[in-house]
Amino acid sequence: MTIEEVQNEIIEEFAMFEDWEERYQYMIDLGKDLPLIEEKYKTDDNIIKGCQSKVWVHANMQDDKVNFTADSDAIITKGIIAILIRAFSNQHPKDILEANTDFIDKIGLKEHLSPTRANGLVSMIKQLKLYAIAYQTQLN
């Protein structure tokens, strides 16, 4: 699946819920299914700066595709990073760099987060794209 196809799937899933309480619960459930980072990668180097909660992200590349794992000490934040990883994991670095993140606005996520969580969301996206830049550079 392309990034856009995954994002559209996420938009459709969020549209099924009536209110934000149900959407938050869905995000929490997504966080429970997150591909968890190995304990050895839960280091200060892998913490996303700018997040209120602790969020660790690790990336590796296999077959020219970037795979992400993550964890967080907060359940909502874990759900947010799970959504982002679902959209961007197992994709070519160039595709990650070129992908837009409009789907976040389309599901209404940013407007339903506190200002500090919204800043954390931006930091998470930035970090995933930084990993993609690093891996794209290796491919060039």
Side-chain angles (χ1 to χ4, degrees):
M1 274 184 139
T2 67
I3 292 173
E4 190 175 347
E5 288 169 340
V6 175
Q7 291 175 348
N8 287 335
E9 192 175 82
I10 293 168
I11 292 166
E12 287 174 20
E13 288 167 9
F14 272 78
M16 291 187 302
F17 299 105
E18 297 291 318
D19 59 36
W20 263 94
E21 199 165 309
E22 291 177 350
R23 290 181 183 134
Y24 281 130
Q25 185 57 53
Y26 184 60
M27 282 187 356
I28 291 166
D29 293 343
L30 290 174
K32 291 175 184 173
D33 295 332
L34 177 69
L36 282 184
I37 191 170
E38 289 180 44
E39 284 298 318
K40 67 181 178 182
Y41 296 122
K42 280 190 173 183
T43 63
D44 287 345
D45 290 343
N46 290 328
I47 286 183
I48 295 180
K49 313 294 184 265
C51 283
Q52 182 180 8
S53 311
K54 286 189 176 176
V55 181
W56 298 270
V57 174
H58 175 70
N60 67 351
M61 192 161 64
Q62 263 182 307
D63 303 322
D64 293 345
K65 292 188 177 182
V66 183
N67 292 297
F68 296 101
T69 56
D71 198 4
S72 175
D73 61 354
I75 56 174
I76 291 288
T77 309
K78 199 170 182 173
I80 294 168
I81 194 66
I83 291 168
L84 296 175
I85 284 181
R86 182 169 155 199
F88 297 116
S89 204
N90 203 27
Q91 301 289 339
H92 192 279
K94 184 172 179 272
D95 296 333
I96 296 169
L97 293 172
E98 292 173 355
N100 71 47
T101 54
D102 293 353
F103 81 104
I104 292 165
D105 295 328
K106 289 178 183 170
I107 63 174
L109 183 56
K110 215 181 270 185
E111 67 197 52
H112 286 89
L113 295 176
S114 66
T116 51
R117 282 234 165 88
N119 288 340
L121 170 65
V122 171
S123 296
M124 289 179 213
I125 294 167
K126 184 177 169 187
Q127 187 61 48
L128 297 181
K129 294 218 176 208
L130 284 172
Y131 277 119
I133 289 169
Y135 287 120
Q136 184 60 44
T137 303
Q138 287 179 12
L139 293 174
N140 289 343

